[in-house]
């Protein structure tokens, strides 16, 4: 198709141009409502780069004036632009996220302020002597009341026999069974009430029930892809996509936590064995 | 969390000063500190054209209601009137100092602009009737208001062209009667310069953006202070969503402090922030809602204008009390 023009130039020019400048001509193809423009350019290292731009052509109904304005001729700096957006001035960016401040987060934030107020309102400690709002050592009635209390307790234990020290009586009672501690004495955890119970692990995972593991993901997968893929099965609480720290590409697996176990089960059923990119996904319960 | 794919418009070489939609929302006008104000198709981000002729930073831009004329004011002390379709200059108003704000009246016939208080000149707001050729040719305004001792930093026509609301660099808001040219009311609700004033869809309310880190909502006819939206940084621009006109109206604020360049959404009535997004590499200088409320645009110090189409989650979002 270019042959007439090529013939008109001398072969020497032709070779030079071919070596330095000539780029394959750009092509525009229409595939239904999709317009594809393939153009070529040279990089700084003189490598040939192929640029593929895909446009979607849409028809929209608009008011007369708007439609008229759409057909206006471009002017000013945009004078030489053809129809459609000029890629030099109009680009589509990577997606950005709009973060909603939900009430849930606000509820979580509130307790942060509370402890201070709590400290003000709650009692610092209780006096063993007068049950007042202060430490025992600082009790103003310490001298008077403590004697009184000793006398009283002595009277109660009168039948059991004389003035045995308090600690001794407690030691005697202990073997009979675990009793709620009445004094501030230290009791090892194993000896406390319910001491036989196994200790609580700090490793409790609340959302264990609704978490699924997706493996065999391709390198190009992003969190938003997973969101698109799994959103239809139910609302997602959390997506964790393992990324390579250096290359920022996916390591090939992800964990997705749903709000409900049913949606997770549905997701496993539907997506397991599903072909995504060029790989077949493997979806199972997270262990 | 919802995700949006903004359309980036790179036509300006310097920071954006103001962006504005026309009435139908199909055109987006942007002015920047370079010399060419630009008009874009908001639907796909296509550049329609530039209005070339200014010799300094363009501070403000406005379009009339039928989108036939564009008004720009610049630091070269000129205020120019353009034909939207062809980009040709229709009129040129010369002044002694930079033009800071400009606006078309509701009728589209009258124009207003304010000049800076520099070079020994006081800050003035000038009014022209574009139908009267003698006013345009002789540069003779039919009315001139001289601001007392502060500079007008933002202004808008109000109450069907009967009044003008102006925001000043000392935080004052003034209501002017345009029949007599006298000040009706002055209030000091802000403590620092008022960066932006935008009316809501019906023109009954307006929102201010102030350097004192607040944005406030006022009644446009009485200047009664209604609501306050607090942030932790200066607010450069604020707009009211036209879509949710009762309960879920939003106020968008942007801010300029290093590292915190976000557009925030506040619930208009409960004064609480409910969403935010980033998108610029620098402070955001101007925000505008599309008149249908389904997208908004931001113009930043980085020279980009971004058109953000909200996704379904934004519309489904229900503010819980």
């Amino acid at each position: 198709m270019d042959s007439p023009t090529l013939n008109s130039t001398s072969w020497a020019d032709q070779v030079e141009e071919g070596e330095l400048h000539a780029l394959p001509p750009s092509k525009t193809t229409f595939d239904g409502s999709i317009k594809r423009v393939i153009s070529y350019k040279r990089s700084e290292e003189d490598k040939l780069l192929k640029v593929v731009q895909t446009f979607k052509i849409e028809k929209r109904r608009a008011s007369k004036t708007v439609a008229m304005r759409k057909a206006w001729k471009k002017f000013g700096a945009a004078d030489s632009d053809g129809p459609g957006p000029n890629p030099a001035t109009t680009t589509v960016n990577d997606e950005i996220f709009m973060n909603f401040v939900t009430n849930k987060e606000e509820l979580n934030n509130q307790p942060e302020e509370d402890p201070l107020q709590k400290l003000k309102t709650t009692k610092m400690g209780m006096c063993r002597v007068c049950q007042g709002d202060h430490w025992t050592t600082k009790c103003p009635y310490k001298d008077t009341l403590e004697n009184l209390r000793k006398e009283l307790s002595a009277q109660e234990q009168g039948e059991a026999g004389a003035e045995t020290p308090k600690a001794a009586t407690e030691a005697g009672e202990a073997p009979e069974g675990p009793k709620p501690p009445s004094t501030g004495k230290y009791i090892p955890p194993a000896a406390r009430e319910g001491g036989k119970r196994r200790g609580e692990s700090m490793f409790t995972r609340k959302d264990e029930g609704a978490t699924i593991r997706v493996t065999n993901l391709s390198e190009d997968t992003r969190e938003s892809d997973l969101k698109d893929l799994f959103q239809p099965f139910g609302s997602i609480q959390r997506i964790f996509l393992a990324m390579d720290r250096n290359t920022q590409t996916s390591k090939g697996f992800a964990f997705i936590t749903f709000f409900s176990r049913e949606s997770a089960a549905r997701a496993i059923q539907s997506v397991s064995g599903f072909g995504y990119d060029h790989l077949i996904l493997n979806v199972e319960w997270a262990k | 969390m919802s995700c949006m794919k903004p359309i980036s418009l790179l036509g300006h070489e310097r920071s954006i000063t103001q962006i504005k939609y026309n009435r139908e929302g199909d055109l987006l006008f942007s002015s920047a500190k370079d010399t060419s104000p630009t008009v874009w198709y908001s639907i796909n981000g296509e550049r329609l054209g530039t209005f070339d002729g200014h010799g300094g930073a363009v501070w403000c831009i406005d379009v009339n209601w039928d989108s036939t004329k564009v008004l720009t004011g610049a630091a070269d002390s000129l205020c120019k009137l353009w034909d939207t379709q062809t980009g040709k200059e229709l009129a040129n108003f010369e002044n002694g100092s930079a033009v800071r704000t400009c606006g078309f009246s509701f009728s589209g016939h009258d124009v207003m602009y304010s000049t800076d208080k520099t070079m020994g000149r006081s800050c003035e707001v000038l009014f022209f009737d574009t139908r009267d050729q003698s006013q345009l040719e002789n540069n003779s305004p039919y009315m001139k208001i001289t601001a007392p001792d502060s500079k007008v930093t933002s202004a808008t026509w109000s109450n069907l062209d009967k009044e003008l609301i102006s925001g000043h660099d000392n935080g004052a808001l003034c209501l002017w009667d345009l029949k007599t040219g006298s000040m009706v009311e002055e209030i000091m609700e802000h403590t620092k310069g008022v960066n932006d004033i935008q009316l809501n869809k019906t023109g009954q309310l307006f929102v201010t953006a102030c350097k004192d880190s607040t944005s406030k909502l006022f009644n446009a006819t009485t200047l009664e202070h209604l609501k306050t939206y607090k942030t932790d940084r200066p607010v450069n621009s604020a707009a009211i969503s036209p879509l949710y006109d009762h309960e879920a109206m939003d106020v968008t604020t942007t801010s300029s402090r290093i590292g915190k360049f976000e557009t925030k959404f506040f619930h208009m009535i409960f004064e609480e922030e409910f969403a935010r997004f980033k998108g610029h590499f620098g402070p955001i200088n101007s925000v505008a809602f599309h008149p249908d409320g389904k997208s908004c645009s931001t113009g930043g110090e980085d020279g980009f204008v971004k058109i953000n189409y909200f996704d379904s989650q934004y519309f489904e979002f229900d503010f819980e009390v």
Side-chain angles (χ1 to χ4, degrees), chain A:
Chain A
M1 124 192 178
D2 285 345
S3 51
T5 53
L6 284 180
N7 284 343
S8 66
T9 56
S10 85
W11 64 272
D13 291 340
Q14 195 185 322
V15 171
E16 263 186 11
E17 271 177 8
E19 275 175 355
L20 291 172
H21 307 294
L23 294 170
S26 61
K27 271 185 226 159
T28 309
T29 52
F30 288 91
D31 179 15
S33 65
I34 306 289
K35 177 186 168 191
R36 209 165 266 127
V37 177
I38 300 168
S39 57
Y40 298 88
K41 64 176 182 186
R42 292 215 180 261
S43 69
E44 283 170 14
E45 294 101 44
D46 214 41
K47 280 184 182 160
L48 194 62
L49 297 177
K50 183 180 175 185
V51 184
V52 182
Q53 288 163 326
T54 313
F55 299 92
K56 192 176 161 201
I57 298 173
E58 286 184 350
K59 274 200 179 156
R60 296 202 188 188
R61 289 197 158 270
S63 69
K64 241 184 229 171
T65 49
V66 173
M68 228 163 66
R69 280 200 286 269
K70 194 75 187 73
W72 278 355
K73 198 179 162 300
K74 294 186 183 178
F75 58 89
D79 205 3
S80 51
D81 290 357
N86 181 353
T89 52
T90 309
T91 48
V92 176
N93 273 52
D94 284 347
E95 54 223 0
I96 53 163
F97 295 102
M98 187 161 174
N99 293 321
F100 287 101
V101 184
T102 52
N103 277 8
K104 208 190 280 173
E105 277 171 44
E106 280 163 28
L107 284 177
N108 289 343
N109 288 342
Q110 274 168 358
E112 276 173 28
E113 294 167 19
D114 279 348
L116 272 176
Q117 286 195 325
K118 252 188 189 171
L119 269 181
K120 279 179 197 162
T121 52
T122 51
K123 291 176 182 176
M124 293 288 284
M126 214 213 314
C127 174
R128 258 180 286 144
V129 179
C130 69
Q131 318 289 311
D133 190 8
H134 48 254
W135 303 113
T136 312
T137 44
K138 287 184 182 165
C139 181
Y141 312 111
K142 198 174 156 191
D143 297 330
T144 50
L145 277 177
E146 189 143 39
N147 290 338
L148 204 78
R149 203 169 64 109
K150 272 183 184 167
E151 278 172 30
L152 278 172
S153 61
Q155 278 178 11
E156 275 176 25
Q157 291 162 3
E159 289 170 20
E163 291 172 31
T164 41
K166 221 183 167 199
T169 55
E170 265 183 19
E173 280 165 12
E176 288 169 19
K179 248 197 163 184
S182 54
T183 62
K185 259 184 87 179
Y186 175 75
I187 295 169
R192 285 179 202 160
E193 192 180 9
K196 300 267 155 47
R197 209 175 51 205
R198 266 192 68 199
E200 276 176 52
S201 161
M202 290 174 80
F203 260 96
T204 47
R205 289 180 61 176
K206 282 181 280 174
D207 44 12
E208 203 169 19
T211 304
I212 58 174
R213 187 177 67 176
V214 188
T215 51
N216 208 22
L217 286 162
S218 75
E219 268 193 353
D220 315 319
T221 314
R222 292 193 188 180
E223 269 193 34
S224 52
D225 299 330
L226 293 171
K227 196 185 151 205
D228 289 343
L229 185 62
F230 288 99
Q231 190 88 283
F233 304 106
S235 43
I236 296 169
Q237 189 176 3
R238 178 172 169 270
I239 294 178
F240 173 77
L241 176 64
M243 299 280 254
D244 191 306
R245 199 175 294 177
N246 296 321
T247 61
Q248 287 301 315
T249 52
S250 145
K251 274 184 171 176
F253 67 97
F255 290 96
I256 289 150
T257 308
F258 286 91
F259 276 106
S260 78
R261 203 180 157 84
E262 290 82 64
S263 12
R266 265 205 307 276
I268 289 177
Q269 247 184 8
S270 331
V271 182
S272 196
F274 181 77
Y276 197 70
D277 279 351
H278 52 281
L279 298 168
I280 289 168
L281 294 188
N282 186 19
V283 186
E284 56 200 350
W285 291 108
K287 276 152 213 163

